[in-house]
Amino acid sequence: MSKKQINTVCPRDCYDSCHLIAEFTDGNQRLRLKGDSSHPITQGFTCPRGAKDLDRTFSSQRVRFPYIRDKQQPDKFGKKCTWDKALQLVSDKLKDTLLIAGAEAILHLEYAGNMGLLTEYFPHRIWNNLGASKTDNSICSKSGHEALALHYGSSHGIQPEDLINQKLIIFWGFNAAVSSPHLWRLALKAQDQNQAKIIVIDPRVSETAKKADIHIQAQPGTDVAIAYALANYLIEEGLTDSVFLEEWTVGFEQFRAESKKWTPDRLKELTGLKPAKIEQFARLYGTERSSIILIGLGMQKSSNGAEAVRAISLLPAVIGLHRGFFYSNGQAYPIDYEYLTGESLTSKSSKVVSQVQLGRHLANGEFKFLYIYNMNPALTLPNQAAFRKGLLRDNVFVVVHETHWTETTRYADIVLPALTYLEKEDLVIPWSHHYVQKSNRVIQPDDASRSEIWVMQQLAQRLDLKDEWLYQPPWQAIKVAMNNALSTPNLNDLLNGNRLKLNSISLDEYSTPSGKIEFASSIALRHGISPIPKQAILQKESGQFQLLNSALRNYTHTQFQEIYGDIPAIVHIHPIDAKTLKIKDGDEIQLYNEQGAIQVHTHITETVPPGILWSPRQFIGKKGKPQNILTPDTPQPIGNGSVFNSTRVHLKKI
Ligand SMILES: Nc1nc2c(c(=O)[nH]1)N[C@H]1C(S)=C(S)[C@@H](COP(=O)(O)OP(=O)(O)OC[C@H]3O[C@@H](n4cnc5c(=O)[nH]c(N)nc54)[C@H](O)[C@@H]3O)O[C@H]1N2
Ligand SMILES: Nc1nc2c(c(=O)[nH]1)N[C@H]1C(S)=C(S)[C@@H](COP(=O)(O)OP(=O)(O)OC[C@H]3O[C@@H](n4cnc5c(=O)[nH]c(N)nc54)[C@H](O)[C@@H]3O)O[C@H]1N2
Ligand code: SF4
Ligand SMILES: [Mo]
């Protein structure tokens, strides 16, 4: 019996952007999502989240009606209402705000809960039409993108499908075994079939490090020094590619002079790394040219993150490789995002506010109307005490358009029910590989839930906005925005269900002022930043721990707790530290700093080094306080990005 199948695409904020097949069996009674085996990255499997997105869609935690709420009573759902009433209230509030405080007092806040173009970008048109304020999207990868642009002009690197052909694969501050299961599978295949070696640089014995041929376990925040020490070895041993350096790069002299200072002994002093270990790494890197360095977004989210990305990214150039790295290819594809969002269709400009520091801005009384969707900021932004104080201001009106009840819906004046990706059409642009296909609707939409586009257009009508581009058919907008991005210019191919390849900028194209790889960045110099990467001095008070925090397999940020239960409130601590503090495995302890305190259970393990703690990210502690109460909101000097991994805490038994 033939099975009914529908192609769709996982839109989660994830490296892998899997192409999925929804398969109906038992006379259409049963439905499951499986990975498409014809896709070179998806390789026929899903992760534990992808497999359960259907269950998440049908979960009892779905928002099923519009609700009017009292945000001062977070534990109460509020009152159900009709869409008509909800839209009337929202548009009245918008009109009032425009009249009294102007468009700048309206802020739309979103991230990448669903990365589809029609969910993440197109609905911005109403806000750009009004000239509303927006954030700088600095919560995740921005600093690293800007770091790479300093030396390379742009941030794109190797396509992940090339992983399979490599002999040396280096995961640097990147826990791919958890955060990118499909790229990781390709690396394991190369290890298995191609005798490729895997090197991992991570302060922890991460899931990825466990499978590495070589694990470089150094103090966090010392990556610039490690990169210079590697370069020094390559230079000393004559393993640099002088023809490449001459033809394709500028500023190598300055980089070389700094590298010379990073002798194996000096590195040992800073990091504790044995010279023999670094030599082994450097020898392999200098002699095996078929290599790729995967630079983790996770490592980048720290006060020295952008500097680390700069330093690491320059290593391939030392040995003569064009962009022998991968960070994120999100900016590689020539998609006209400004057209999609309407930014280029209006003469109005928007005020831009730091996403990392949004809590401070809100708590200080900025903004009167907040529209949140595709994000759960009441758990995911740093400095939660300030953010929540801001949300609870009685002179700010908070609208949240969500698929599920979340921590953020608890602080909303109005909650609007949204469709999940399985209930609507979209186009997902990956930030690693270059394959796109239409994401089809798999199931009938929930009765009361509505898409972001529908809400945008309803509000635009109620505000009497006339510009035609607000009402443009969505796939027509995609057609214009994708005009230069598709290998075949015919959007119908895509609408007919074909998988297409995105055009990308070639690896040897460098849009720096010199047109070459700039070891000493002229753009950095112009902005008063050191032209070459700089190793920061490590600072830690006695009794203080650095709290690293990263993703777990079963959760995409705060999503899938509906399926797998709460993200565990635990902290990993080294046995030496546990002994000093007289802590036993499983004890309930308090983590605290000047921003607040949370309660968690301990897990004693040698996978973290002494002085370093690790926890999952974005959980709620034992007494209801979110982990992100502890995380700092100081933006990085380059790119203003987040610094979650530079959290400093004290620890005490309770
Ligand atoms: N399962 C799952 N996968 C995800 C996500 C998810 O929520 N769940 N989210 C996606 C998103 S949005 C992102 S941004 C990515 C992030 O994906 P990754 O880049 O893999 O980030 P993390 O998971 O934070 O892991 C980073 C690793 O870097 C190490 N590290 C921390 N500080 C340093 C340092 O100073 N130097 C070095 N060398 N290493 C350091 C940590 O110990 C950790 O093992 O994951 C994506 N994939
Ligand atoms: N402590 C700590 N905090 C961190 C980090 C860290 O390393 N440590 N990492 C940061 C990083 S890298 C990131 S990317 C951010 C992620 O931060 P968020 O983007 O806030 O993460 P999610 O929890 O995935 O929230 C997405 C929300 O979108 C909703 N959603 C999903 N699909 C749709 C849809 O189609 N329509 C609508 N309207 N809503 C939808 C989901 O239900 C979910 O509530 O977190 C940051 N926070
Ligand atoms: S969350 Fe990532 S790995 Fe999992 S199915 Fe979606 S795209 Fe694939
Ligand atoms: Mo992220």
Side-chain angles (χ1 to χ4, degrees):
M1 197 174 75
S2 75
K3 290 173 185 160
K4 185 178 151 199
Q5 294 189 328
I6 298 175
N7 289 335
T8 189
V9 178
C10 178
R12 299 291 164 236
D13 191 5
C14 174
Y15 286 95
D16 298 4
S17 298
C18 291
H19 287 193
L20 305 176
I21 297 172
E23 193 174 78
F24 296 79
T25 51
D26 293 347
N28 291 347
Q29 291 304 299
R30 278 159 53 90
L31 173 60
R32 68 170 182 140
L33 289 171
K34 57 179 200 177
D36 192 332
S37 54
S38 69
H39 190 289
I41 309 295
T42 308
Q43 305 163 81
F45 72 97
T46 66
C47 72
R49 297 157 279 142
K52 292 288 182 189
D53 234 324
L54 262 170
D55 295 0
R56 188 172 185 265
T57 286
F58 292 122
S59 116
S60 59
Q61 320 260 328
R62 271 300 282 281
V63 180
R64 299 213 179 269
F65 296 94
Y67 280 80
I68 301 172
R69 300 187 64 264
D70 175 1
K71 67 179 179 179
Q72 305 298 341
Q73 300 198 326
D75 292 337
K76 300 211 167 131
F77 283 110
K79 271 206 281 279
K80 280 180 202 171
C81 71
T82 61
W83 268 103
D84 192 52
K85 175 99 191 274
L87 290 167
Q88 195 57 47
L89 253 169
V90 176
S91 54
D92 285 350
K93 276 284 171 190
L94 275 170
K95 282 181 198 161
D96 284 355
T97 312
L98 285 166
L99 202 69
I100 297 163
E104 233 184 63
I106 299 167
L107 176 74
H108 63 106
L109 169 63
E110 62 282 316
Y111 204 67
N114 172 335
M115 300 199 306
L117 291 180
L118 299 180
T119 303
E120 193 180 346
Y121 297 96
F122 188 64
H124 293 198
R125 283 193 173 186
I126 184 168
W127 308 118
N128 286 323
N129 191 281
L130 293 173
S133 299
K134 63 182 176 187
T135 69
D136 63 356
N137 274 341
S138 52
I139 200 69
C140 176
S141 58
K142 188 164 174 278
S143 284
H145 280 292
E146 294 198 13
L148 290 166
L150 291 178
H151 301 281
Y152 286 89
S154 57
S155 57
H156 66 284
I158 283 176
Q159 278 295 326
E161 63 200 295
D162 287 343
L163 273 170
I164 193 83
N165 306 316
Q166 307 302 323
K167 285 291 208 183
L168 188 59
I169 302 177
I170 299 158
F171 289 96
W172 201 315
F174 183 176
N175 192 16
V178 168
S179 62
S180 178
H182 296 81
L183 269 52
W184 178 235
R185 178 75 66 91
L186 289 174
L188 291 179
K189 275 188 184 163
Q191 196 185 36
D192 191 39
Q193 297 165 12
N194 210 13
Q195 286 75 52
K197 290 223 163 9
I198 295 181
I199 301 182
V200 171
I201 299 99
D202 199 306
R204 297 186 302 132
V205 186
S206 65
E207 291 81 349
T208 308
K210 281 181 187 151
K211 290 272 172 72
D213 296 287
I214 301 174
H215 177 201
I216 309 282
Q217 195 176 6
Q219 287 297 310
T222 60
D223 302 279
V224 176
I226 300 172
Y228 274 130
L230 287 170
N232 185 31
Y233 182 92
L234 297 169
I235 293 163
E236 293 284 318
E237 297 296 313
L239 293 168
T240 59
D241 185 332
S242 50
V243 176
F244 182 91
L245 287 170
E246 179 61 34
E247 196 174 334
W248 290 97
T249 78
V250 295
F252 184 61
E253 264 318 306
Q254 202 175 339
F255 183 82
R256 185 217 301 260
E258 181 63 25
S259 304
K260 289 265 176 214
K261 298 179 191 160
W262 287 98
T263 59
D265 286 341
R266 185 170 171 215
L267 186 73
K268 185 166 179 234
E269 211 174 290
L270 182 79
T271 64
L273 282 175
K274 294 202 175 76
K277 192 106 190 196
I278 247 352
E279 274 173 35
Q280 183 194 17
F281 179 7
R283 210 168 31 250
L284 265 174
Y285 192 62
T287 49
E288 185 47 79
R289 308 250 141 180
S290 185
S291 70
I292 168 171
I293 307 180
L294 297 106
I295 309 174
L297 301 180
M299 173 199 63
Q300 171 255 183
K301 285 178 282 175
S302 63
S303 50
N304 201 30
E307 292 293 343
V309 174
R310 298 175 73 182
I312 297 162
S313 78
L314 290 170
L315 292 170
V318 175
I319 59 164
L321 297 178
H322 285 289
R323 294 180 193 260
F325 61 80
F326 164 81
Y327 172 69
S328 155
N329 289 333
Q331 298 179 4
Y333 312 119
I335 292 160
D336 192 345
Y337 287 104
E338 293 192 349
Y339 178 82
L340 266 181
T341 59
E343 248 176 278
S344 60
L345 300 172
T346 175
S347 55
K348 287 187 185 147
S349 60
S350 307
K351 176 173 137 178
V352 182
V353 65
S354 161
Q355 203 170 43
V356 171
Q357 290 203 315
L358 184 57
R360 284 179 195 231
H361 289 273
L362 270 184
N364 287 342
E366 265 178 72
F367 308 112
K368 305 275 182 240
F369 182 103
L370 191 52
Y371 190 91
I372 305 173
Y373 82 102
N374 219 17
M375 188 177 193
N376 187 10
L379 277 185
T380 57
L381 285 182
N383 192 3
Q384 276 298 318
F387 185 66
R388 288 170 177 218
K389 187 173 162 209
L391 284 178
L392 285 172
R393 270 171 43 210
D394 55 13
N395 61 350
V396 63
F397 190 75
V398 182
V399 182
V400 179
H401 189 199
E402 246 296 349
T403 54
H404 290 72
W405 292 102
T406 64
E407 199 63 11
T408 308
T409 58
R410 283 158 49 84
Y411 296 93
D413 291 293
I414 291 214
V415 179
L416 305 173
L419 295 172
T420 71
Y421 87 92
L422 294 164
E423 298 165 308
K424 60 189 176 190
E425 294 183 345
D426 219 321
L427 188 70
V428 175
I429 307 298
W431 38 275
S432 70
H433 64 76
H434 49 189
Y435 294 104
V436 285
Q437 75 177 20
K438 184 176 169 228
S439 179
N440 290 299
R441 174 185 299 150
V442 171
I443 51 174
Q444 280 309 309
D446 179 74
D447 280 351
S449 302
R450 295 287 182 271
S451 73
E452 290 68 21
I453 298 174
W454 185 87
V455 176
M456 161 177 91
Q457 293 178 342
Q458 289 291 317
L459 287 176
Q461 274 169 13
R462 283 170 198 255
L463 293 175
D464 208 20
L465 302 177
K466 300 280 189 236
D467 287 302
E468 269 177 31
W469 48 273
L470 287 165
Y471 309 98
Q472 186 182 22
W475 286 97
Q476 216 177 72
I478 287 191
K479 184 173 181 175
V480 178
M482 300 287 289
N483 198 27
N484 297 319
L486 288 174
S487 45
T488 46
N490 191 349
L491 186 81
N492 283 336
D493 279 354
L494 206 61
L495 292 175
N496 289 336
N498 294 328
R499 176 175 301 148
L500 302 181
K501 231 187 213 182
L502 293 165
N503 295 326
S504 52
I505 317 166
S506 77
L507 287 179
D508 61 3
E509 199 178 313
Y510 304 110
S511 47
T512 52
S514 62
K516 295 185 175 190
I517 302 168
E518 296 193 356
F519 275 97
S521 161
S522 53
I523 308 171
L525 197 60
R526 218 184 304 138
H527 287 91
I529 300 165
S530 164
I532 56 167
K534 272 267 172 280
Q535 172 61 52
I537 297 163
L538 302 184
Q539 284 165 335
K540 203 157 67 172
E541 292 167 18
S542 88
Q544 204 180 40
F545 289 87
Q546 182 165 352
L547 174 68
L548 304 181
N549 51 118
S550 48
L552 296 181
R553 235 180 266 282
N554 285 350
Y555 306 96
T556 298
H557 305 296
T558 65
Q559 299 182 71
F560 297 95
Q561 298 188 82
E562 306 84 358
I563 303 296
Y564 295 111
D566 295 347
I567 301 172
I570 48 159
V571 69
H572 289 192
I573 180 166
H574 191 274
I576 292 176
D577 292 325
K579 198 170 167 201
T580 313
L581 294 162
K582 299 191 173 52
I583 284 168
K584 292 195 298 299
D585 198 53
D587 273 357
E588 197 165 322
I589 55 128
Q590 190 179 62
L591 294 177
Y592 66 97
N593 60 21
E594 64 291 350
Q595 292 182 192
I598 61 168
Q599 251 131 275
V600 295
H601 284 291
T602 54
H603 175 56
I604 300 176
T605 164
E606 288 183 355
T607 57
V608 286
I612 305 293
L613 305 174
W614 176 87
S615 76
R617 62 188 184 195
Q618 304 148 331
F619 62 82
I620 299 178
K622 294 284 163 203
K623 294 265 158 38
K625 294 264 195 277
Q627 180 213 25
N628 268 324
I629 246 180
L630 300 174
T631 51
D633 65 355
T634 319
Q636 291 192 46
I638 296 173
N640 301 312
S642 59
V643 297
F644 292 103
N645 279 315
S646 293
T647 305
R648 301 279 195 273
V649 291
H650 290 273
L651 190 157
K652 85 174 167 218
K653 243 179 114 161
I654 43 173

